[in-house]
């Protein structure tokens, strides 16, 4: 009985050993299969090289040398698209900085000024003799497309009559007539007002827009604007009323040589001269015909010594 049990026990051990060997063999075989699979899935280098498409390499950019050779690039000028600059516009003087109609010029000199007291503040400027010239020219403008040289914002830099002799400057905005309208510059222009080359002792050489400067004993004493040519004080009076610069019936005749407006002298004839000026005097802003400054009644103004351009030309 015991012998039979021992045999059965040996048989069981043998079966267990056989099963263990079978399991181990199976595991080793799986490992071999896995390794084989991994080995077959990895392509050879030649296969990889043949499967990748060929790529042409871009040649490398050469490094710059220590002293590179510079080549000049030609400058291309485009006339259709001008380059804007921040510098002010400075125009060469040809004939004038602006043109204005003669009647408009006289109207600007007269309306709102004639009959005002000496030193009256107009447009923020005290209208003594130089202040009046500055204020009157400062109101000048010609904005019509029919003007040859449209302009506006005319600003005289002179603060006194002596500044004219030293050489005064002017700022203004210039325009160009184009298809029934004016194309204005984007920036103001600058100019200089110099002496005329005409004989300043001959009134016949005077033109609308001229500035007469007076002096005595080497001092600058007065300044006035040329107004125009009229036969007499009465003709000046009729002209002012006809143009509407002075309301008709408001000019009072003192005598054939003198007219007043609201108690102030506004027209005064000192001689038979047909050439008249407008200026600010101690009597107020008035028109008279003693341009040379020879009358004893105007001796304080001094003698006519210089003629300057206002930069404006009448048309």
């Amino acid at each position: 009985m015991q012998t039979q049990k021992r045999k059965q026990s040996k048989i069981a051990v043998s079966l267990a050993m056989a099963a263990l060997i079978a399991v181990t063999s199976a595991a080793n075989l799986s490992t071999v299969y896995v390794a084989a699979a991994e080995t077959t899935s990895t392509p050879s280098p030649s296969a990889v090289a043949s499967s990748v498409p060929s790529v042409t390499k871009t040649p490398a950019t050469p490094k710059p040398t220590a002293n590179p050779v510079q080549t000049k690039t030609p400058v291309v000028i485009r006339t259709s698209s001008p380059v804007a600059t921040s510098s002010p516009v400075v125009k060469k003087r040809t004939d004038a900085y602006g043109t204005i109609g003669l009647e408009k010029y006289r109207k600007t000199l007269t309306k709102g000024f004639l009959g005002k007291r000496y030193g009256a503040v107009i447009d923020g400027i005290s209208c003594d003799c130089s202040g009046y010239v500055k204020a009157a020219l400062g109101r000048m403008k010609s904005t019509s497309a029919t003007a040859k040289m449209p302009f506006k914002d005319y600003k005289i830099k002179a603060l006194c009559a002596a500044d004219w002799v030293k050489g005064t400057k002017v700022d203004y905005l210039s325009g160009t007539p184009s298809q029934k309208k004016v194309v204005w510059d984007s920036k103001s222009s600058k100019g200089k007002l110099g002496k005329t080359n005409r004989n300043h002792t001959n009134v016949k050489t005077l033109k609308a827009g001229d500035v007469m400067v007076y002096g005595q004993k080497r001092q600058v004493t007065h300044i006035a604007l040329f107004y125009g040519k009229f036969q007499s004080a009465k003709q000046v009076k009729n002209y002012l009323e006809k143009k509407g610069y002075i309301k008709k019936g408001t000019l009072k005749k003192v005598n054939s040589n003198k007219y007043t407006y609201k108690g102030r002298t506004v027209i005064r004839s000192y001689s038979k001269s047909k050439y008249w000026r407008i200026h600010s005097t101690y009597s107020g802003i008035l028109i008279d015909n003693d341009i040379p400054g020879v009358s004893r009644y105007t001796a304080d103004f001094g003698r006519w010594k210089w003629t300057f351009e206002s930069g404006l030309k009448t048309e």
Side-chain angles (χ1 to χ4, degrees):
M1 187 72 176
Q2 291 179 348
T3 302
Q4 188 176 2
K5 288 181 179 180
R6 286 177 181 173
K7 288 182 178 179
Q8 293 176 348
S9 177
K10 289 180 178 179
I11 292 170
V13 170
S14 298
L15 293 173
M17 290 294 293
L20 180 59
I21 291 169
V23 171
T24 303
S25 299
N28 292 335
L29 183 60
S30 175
T31 303
V32 171
Y33 286 155
V34 171
E38 290 177 352
T39 303
T40 56
S41 63
T42 304
S44 64
S46 61
V48 172
S50 62
S51 63
V52 177
S54 61
V55 179
T56 303
K57 293 185 179 181
T58 305
T61 304
K63 295 182 180 180
T65 60
N67 296 312
V69 178
Q70 297 182 352
T71 59
K72 295 184 178 180
T73 303
V75 179
V76 179
I77 300 174
R78 301 179 183 273
T79 57
S80 58
S81 301
V83 179
T85 60
S86 57
S87 58
V89 179
V90 180
K91 295 187 176 181
K92 291 183 178 180
R93 177 70 182 274
T94 53
D95 188 23
Y97 297 128
T99 57
I100 186 172
L102 176 60
E103 296 309 323
K104 188 173 183 180
Y105 173 79
R106 286 178 178 166
K107 178 181 180 180
T108 305
L109 294 182
T110 309
K111 206 159 186 179
F113 290 108
L114 191 65
K116 295 292 184 180
R117 63 177 177 80
Y118 179 82
V121 178
I122 302 174
D123 297 337
I125 301 172
S126 177
C127 289
D128 53 12
C129 63
S130 59
Y132 163 69
V133 172
K134 183 181 179 72
L137 293 179
R139 283 189 175 185
M140 297 288 174
K141 62 181 179 179
S142 184
T143 57
S144 172
T146 60
K148 293 180 180 178
M149 299 175 65
F151 72 95
K152 60 182 179 179
D153 301 335
Y154 208 70
K155 298 177 181 177
I156 302 293
K157 296 298 184 179
L159 299 177
C160 63
D163 289 344
W164 283 84
V165 179
K166 295 175 183 177
T168 188
K169 296 180 180 180
V170 61
D171 288 350
Y172 64 98
L173 191 63
S174 182
T176 304
S178 175
Q179 298 179 352
K180 297 183 179 181
K181 67 177 182 179
V182 177
V183 179
W184 297 101
D185 291 350
S186 59
K187 295 182 180 295
S188 63
S189 300
K190 297 180 182 297
K192 186 174 182 179
L193 306 179
K195 297 178 184 179
T196 67
N197 56 8
R198 287 174 271 116
N199 184 356
H200 69 267
T201 61
N202 186 354
V203 292
K204 293 181 180 180
T205 64
L206 290 171
K207 299 178 180 179
D210 281 348
V211 180
M212 293 86 68
V213 181
Y214 295 77
Q216 56 182 346
K217 296 180 180 180
R218 297 182 181 180
Q219 292 184 348
V220 181
T221 54
H222 192 59
I223 188 169
L225 289 162
F226 180 62
Y227 196 75
K229 186 177 179 181
F230 299 90
Q231 297 295 325
S232 62
K234 184 178 181 180
Q235 190 178 44
V236 175
K237 177 250 185 189
N238 292 340
Y239 171 80
L240 296 175
E241 291 181 336
K242 180 180 179 180
K243 294 296 182 179
Y245 303 159
I246 293 289
K247 187 177 180 180
K248 191 173 183 178
T250 58
L251 288 173
K252 305 298 182 183
K253 181 178 179 180
V254 177
N255 54 51
S256 61
N257 296 321
K258 184 177 180 180
Y259 290 85
T260 62
Y261 175 74
K262 294 183 178 180
R264 288 195 178 93
T265 301
V266 291
I267 303 172
R268 183 74 165 90
S269 176
Y270 294 102
S271 66
K272 294 182 179 180
S273 174
K274 299 176 183 178
Y275 295 85
W276 298 71
R277 64 184 175 180
I278 184 168
H279 55 146
S280 182
T281 73
Y282 293 127
S283 299
I285 298 175
L286 57 82
I287 300 170
D288 71 35
N289 65 347
D290 187 29
I291 290 177
V294 295
S295 172
R296 61 187 179 91
Y297 298 105
T298 63
D300 291 343
F301 301 150
R303 294 292 184 93
W304 174 28
K305 289 186 176 294
W306 306 276
T307 304
F308 285 82
E309 301 167 329
S310 64
L312 303 178
K313 183 179 180 181
T314 58
E315 56 183 7

